[in-house]
């Protein structure tokens, strides 16, 4: 079967750095994506890792280790608007089929 | 571009009723997806399509049907609604599947009573 594990909640202060981990067990792994979802809104794409290593996009970075079946999302210089849910999602075929984790709720405090 | 649009935004159904959730994208994307999201949970794939005339099941297809007669439209049909289908439904699209970013519509909030 397919499963992803991520922490349910993380709290951090404005300006800090936070890391959200994701471990997965899937067959036919193609890549790992991260999506952000504000309360009541639609998910929006943040990043994709197809190969091992770090991908950086502005304040956000994402890391993948295929051998460890592990990835993380790193958010730097946290802002209040970063308070949202963050989902890792495994892509397990070239059709783009996604299996989502249950999400991590990030609360940024002043 | 409007992106991905969904109608209706909200709907209340009685048990046993049927309805169609509409999804349209104007980005000429080949791939389209339907997800459901229960409170506090991640999204689960219901059905997907890799192009007009081609559809396939996702993780949770039971109780739903889809069709894809055009590139733009990907309606989701609920037959004989049940309380377990109370959820938020998101439609998404991407240009070429795989690692491509998926663009999501605003969602339809469905309650079955």
């Amino acid at each position: 079967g397919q499963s992803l594990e991520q922490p349910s909640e993380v709290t951090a202060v404005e300006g800090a750095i936070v890391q959200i981990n994701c471990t997965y067990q899937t067959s036919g792994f193609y890549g790992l994506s991260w999506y952000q979802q504000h309360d009541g809104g639609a998910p929006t794409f943040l990043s994709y890792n197809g190969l091992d290593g770090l991908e950086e996009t502005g304040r956000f970075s994402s890391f993948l280790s295929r051998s460890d079946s592990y990835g993380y999302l790193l958010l730097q210089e946290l802002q209040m608007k970063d308070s949202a849910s963050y989902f890792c999602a495994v892509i397990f075929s070239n059709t783009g089929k996604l299996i989502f984790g249950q999400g991590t709720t990030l609360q940024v405090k002043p | 571009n409007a992106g991905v649009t969904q109608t209706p935004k909200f709907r209340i159904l009685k048990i046993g009723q049927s309805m169609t959730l509409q999804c349209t994208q104007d980005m000429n994307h080949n791939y389209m997806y339907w997800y459901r999201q229960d409170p506090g949970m991640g999204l689960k794939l219901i059905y997907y399509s890799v192009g007009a005339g081609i559809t396939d099941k996702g993780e949770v297809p039971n109780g739903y049907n889809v069709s894809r007669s055009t590139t733009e439209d990907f309606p989701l049909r609920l037959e004989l609604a049940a309380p377990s289908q109370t959820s938020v439904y998101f439609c998404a699209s991407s240009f070429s599947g795989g690692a491509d970013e998926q663009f999501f519509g605003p969602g339809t909030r469905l309650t079955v009573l």
Side-chain angles (χ1 to χ4, degrees):
Chain A
Q2 329 278 354
S3 69
L4 289 89
E5 297 283 337
Q6 30 177 152
S8 58
E9 293 182 2
V10 173
T11 301
V13 296
E14 217 173 354
I17 299 172
V18 71
Q19 178 173 314
I20 299 173
N21 298 323
C22 174
T23 57
Y24 60 87
Q25 289 185 328
T26 70
S27 55
F29 179 86
Y30 189 93
L32 187 72
S33 286
W34 288 90
Y35 283 78
Q36 179 191 60
Q37 185 179 32
H38 284 98
D39 209 23
T44 56
F45 174 82
L46 289 177
S47 69
Y48 167 76
N49 294 77
L51 301 174
D52 284 3
L54 193 68
E55 295 285 339
E56 296 178 81
T57 310
R59 294 188 297 115
F60 294 178
S61 304
S62 58
F63 173 82
L64 175 66
S65 168
R66 284 175 171 261
S67 58
D68 296 323
S69 297
Y70 164 75
Y72 67 71
L73 180 70
L74 191 72
L75 298 84
Q76 302 181 75
E77 300 172 20
L78 282 173
Q79 302 176 8
M80 297 299 291
K81 67 178 182 179
D82 297 330
S83 292
S85 292
Y86 293 84
F87 295 89
C88 60
V90 165
I91 305 165
F92 67 96
S93 79
N94 61 1
T95 61
K97 289 169 65 175
L98 293 176
I99 299 291
F100 281 83
Q102 295 199 356
T104 299
T105 300
L106 170 64
Q107 185 178 18
V108 180
K109 295 187 172 180
Chain B
N1 286 352
V4 180
T5 56
Q6 293 182 236
T7 56
K9 286 187 169 56
F10 303 91
R11 185 72 186 267
I12 298 174
L13 281 183
K14 293 183 179 178
I15 295 172
Q17 287 185 319
S18 300
M19 76 165 293
T20 299
L21 282 66
Q22 302 292 346
C23 175
T24 300
Q25 53 89 12
D26 62 358
M27 297 174 282
N28 201 31
H29 284 174
N30 294 312
Y31 292 73
M32 295 187 75
Y33 311 86
W34 273 106
Y35 297 91
R36 60 175 286 173
Q37 185 177 31
D38 297 334
M41 305 290 282
L43 288 80
K44 291 192 182 297
L45 182 65
I46 305 171
Y47 270 96
Y48 69 100
S49 169
V50 302
I54 306 170
T55 63
D56 204 351
K57 295 177 180 178
E59 289 180 273
V60 290
N62 291 345
Y64 308 94
N65 277 301
V66 293
S67 59
R68 183 99 181 270
S69 56
T70 67
T71 299
E72 294 78 19
D73 300 306
F74 190 39
L76 178 71
R77 178 85 178 157
L78 278 73
E79 305 282 1
L80 298 175
S84 61
Q85 292 178 304
T86 294
S87 192
V88 180
Y89 292 83
F90 288 101
C91 178
S93 72
S94 69
F95 182 68
S96 60
D100 253 18
E101 171 182 359
Q102 292 190 15
F103 294 84
F104 284 79
T108 294
R109 282 157 179 73
L110 176 68
T111 302
V112 182
L113 299 173

